[in-house]
């Protein structure tokens, strides 16, 4: 399975500000020397040596992750503003079918759908999967007047269907077996496990981890244990999580403990806090890696989810 991040922010889209761009340029200027610009090779070496927090950006679009299985089936996880980027720049599905899995319906996970190009094409098919029976009504509501000029039923030309799924009950889509699980979040949120050829990827955004998520229940063991990768909500620092109890998000240290408990091989920090700039987010990544190595003492690969990043299992 191949994974591509199209939107990784939480709560609200977060474009780079002019001040943040200026700060990056100033940091580059401070580092550069005469020897770094004498040739094309030296310039490329200099750019390659820059910290990722300076040379590039984590991105500002809200949640949307693409998974493609070995058959080429396209799964889109949530429809935040990242789904617009997929519509503009992603590789089209060979069968013109897009399987859209909704974790829940807070604004940052649905606001990109009205701008999704493939919804306006008559030769495309969109299938929405959700544990919420009212999924169509909810998505239709955000496109009613006066909120949006194009209405869901009359404006979208693609063939759209809805599939209401039952948590814990596996089902087949393309080459993948998919299972959902309800997690702790205001209004509920559902995580998804995608399993193909013995490999498992878990998408678990908008979750406030607690002791019940590490309890050795048959449900937890079947869903989380030995996953190859998990894309997990880590919106807060530890300090923030202490005064944002019941807000529905987790701290990076909780995510590390959780991944270690279930013997998950790779952890992708996801659903980033909109007030954090690139420098802050990469410092959180470093803290998570140190915590895993020196406190938890676990061999866990930890990555910061960034727009444009890809990986496979």
């Amino acid at each position: 399975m191949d994974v591509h991040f199209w939107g990784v922010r939480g709560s609200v889209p977060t474009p780079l500000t002019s001040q943040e761009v200026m700060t990056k340029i100033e940091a580059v200027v401070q580092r550069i020397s005469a020897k770094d610009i004498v040739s094309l090779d030296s310039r490329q070496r200099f750019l390659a040596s820059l910290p990722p927090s300076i040379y590039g950006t984590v991105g500002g679009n809200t949640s949307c992750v693409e998974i493609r299985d070995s058959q080429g089936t396209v799964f889109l996880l949530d429809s935040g503003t990242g789904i617009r980027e997929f519509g503009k720049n992603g590789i089209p599905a060979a069968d013109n079918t897009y399987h859209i899995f909704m974790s829940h319906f807070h604004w940052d996970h649905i606001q990109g759908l009205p701008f999704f190009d493939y919804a306006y094409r008559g030769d495309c098919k969109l299938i929405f999967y959700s544990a919420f029976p009212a999924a169509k009504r909810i998505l239709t509501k955000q496109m009613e007047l006066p909120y949006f000029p194009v209405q869901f039923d009359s404006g979208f030309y693609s063939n759209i269907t809805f599939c209401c799924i039952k948590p814990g009950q596996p089902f087949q889509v393309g080459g993948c077996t998919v299972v959902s699980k309800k997690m702790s979040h205001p209004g509920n949120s559902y995580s998804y496990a995608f399993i193909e050829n013995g490999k498992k990827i878990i998408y678990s955004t908008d979750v406030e981890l607690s002791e019940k998520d590490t309890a050795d229940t048959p449900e937890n063991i079947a869903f989380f244990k030995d996953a190859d990768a998990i894309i997990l909500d880590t919106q807060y620092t530890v300090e923030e999580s202490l005064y944002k109890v019941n807000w529905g998000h987790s701290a990076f240290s909780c995510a590390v403990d959780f991944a270690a408990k279930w013997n998950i091989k790779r952890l992708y920090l996801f659903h980033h806090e909109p007030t954090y700039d690139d420098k802050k987010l990469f410092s959180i990544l470093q803290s998570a890696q140190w915590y895993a190595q020196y406190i938890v003492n676990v061999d866990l690969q930890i990555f910061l989810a960034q727009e444009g990043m890809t990986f496979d299992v």
Side-chain angles (χ1 to χ4, degrees):
M1 290 178 284
D2 297 314
V3 180
H4 188 117
F5 291 104
W6 294 99
V8 298
R9 287 281 179 173
S11 301
V12 67
T14 313
L16 279 174
T17 65
S18 297
Q19 183 57 53
E20 288 172 336
V21 173
M22 291 172 61
T23 299
K24 288 176 182 287
I25 294 173
E26 290 171 357
V28 172
V29 171
Q30 290 172 357
R31 286 169 168 77
I32 201 166
S33 63
K35 65 180 178 60
D36 295 319
I37 57 174
V38 296
S39 68
L40 176 61
D41 286 344
S42 65
R43 291 193 292 273
Q44 290 177 337
R45 285 195 300 271
F46 170 72
L47 292 175
S49 71
L50 292 172
S53 61
I54 296 174
Y55 190 53
T57 181
V58 170
N61 282 297
T62 58
S63 301
C64 182
V65 179
E66 172 194 358
I67 296 178
R68 289 184 188 244
D69 66 16
S70 62
Q71 298 181 9
T73 310
V74 176
F75 304 90
L76 296 173
L77 316 182
D78 280 326
S79 58
T81 57
I83 201 171
R84 175 186 176 276
E85 293 298 319
F86 172 82
K88 299 293 183 185
N89 301 305
I91 299 172
D95 61 357
N96 286 336
T97 301
Y98 300 90
H99 302 269
I100 304 175
F101 286 77
M102 303 301 303
S103 64
H104 63 310
F105 295 93
H106 287 167
W107 277 343
D108 50 327
H109 295 259
I110 66 173
Q111 61 196 169
L113 183 61
F115 305 93
F116 183 39
D117 287 354
Y118 293 111
Y120 296 91
R121 286 180 42 173
D123 61 340
C124 289
K125 183 176 183 180
L126 274 56
I127 305 175
F128 288 90
Y129 301 83
S130 167
F132 295 85
K136 182 178 181 180
R137 178 179 60 79
I138 295 168
L139 292 178
T140 300
K141 196 74 175 176
Q142 75 160 339
M143 295 179 64
E144 290 180 353
L145 294 172
Y147 309 115
F148 199 74
V150 178
Q151 280 65 68
F152 187 96
D153 287 323
S154 61
F156 284 167
Y157 299 135
S158 59
N159 179 6
I160 299 176
T161 57
F162 286 82
C163 180
C164 188
I165 60 179
K166 182 178 180 180
Q169 183 172 305
F171 59 98
Q172 196 76 17
V173 182
C176 282
T177 298
V178 186
V179 188
S180 68
K181 186 179 187 300
K182 186 167 74 171
M183 307 296 288
S184 295
H185 189 72
N188 295 327
S189 180
Y190 291 83
S191 296
Y192 294 96
F194 296 84
I195 306 159
E196 184 184 33
N197 298 327
K199 300 291 186 178
K200 181 193 294 186
I201 298 172
I202 296 173
Y203 176 71
S204 190
T205 188
D206 292 65
V207 53
E208 187 164 357
L209 295 171
S210 64
E211 290 183 0
K212 71 178 181 62
D213 298 306
T214 56
D216 289 317
T217 64
E219 182 185 20
N220 283 343
I221 293 170
F223 192 84
F224 295 114
K225 189 172 177 56
D226 297 329
D228 294 276
I230 186 168
I231 300 164
L232 184 58
D233 183 321
T234 53
Q235 184 160 338
Y236 298 145
T237 61
V238 176
E239 181 182 7
E240 273 193 312
S241 68
L242 294 177
Y243 67 83
K244 292 184 176 181
V245 176
N246 296 324
W247 283 39
H249 302 286
S250 298
F252 68 84
S253 56
C254 294
V256 172
D257 290 336
F258 179 83
K261 158 67 181 179
W262 295 117
N263 192 38
I264 297 172
K265 299 176 181 65
R266 282 184 271 175
L267 167 64
Y268 290 83
L269 310 182
F270 186 71
H271 204 266
H272 308 312
E273 167 63 36
T275 61
Y276 293 169
D277 61 14
D278 291 318
K279 184 178 180 180
K280 174 75 170 182
L281 290 173
F282 277 99
S283 72
I284 288 175
L285 171 63
Q286 187 174 60
S287 296
Q289 292 169 335
W290 285 347
Y291 180 77
Q293 182 176 359
Y294 297 111
I295 305 300
V296 185
N297 192 27
V298 62
D299 184 20
L300 172 65
Q301 297 180 61
I302 306 176
F303 304 89
L304 187 69
Q306 305 171 60
E307 282 184 37
M309 174 187 283
T310 62
F311 71 91
D312 63 84
V313 298

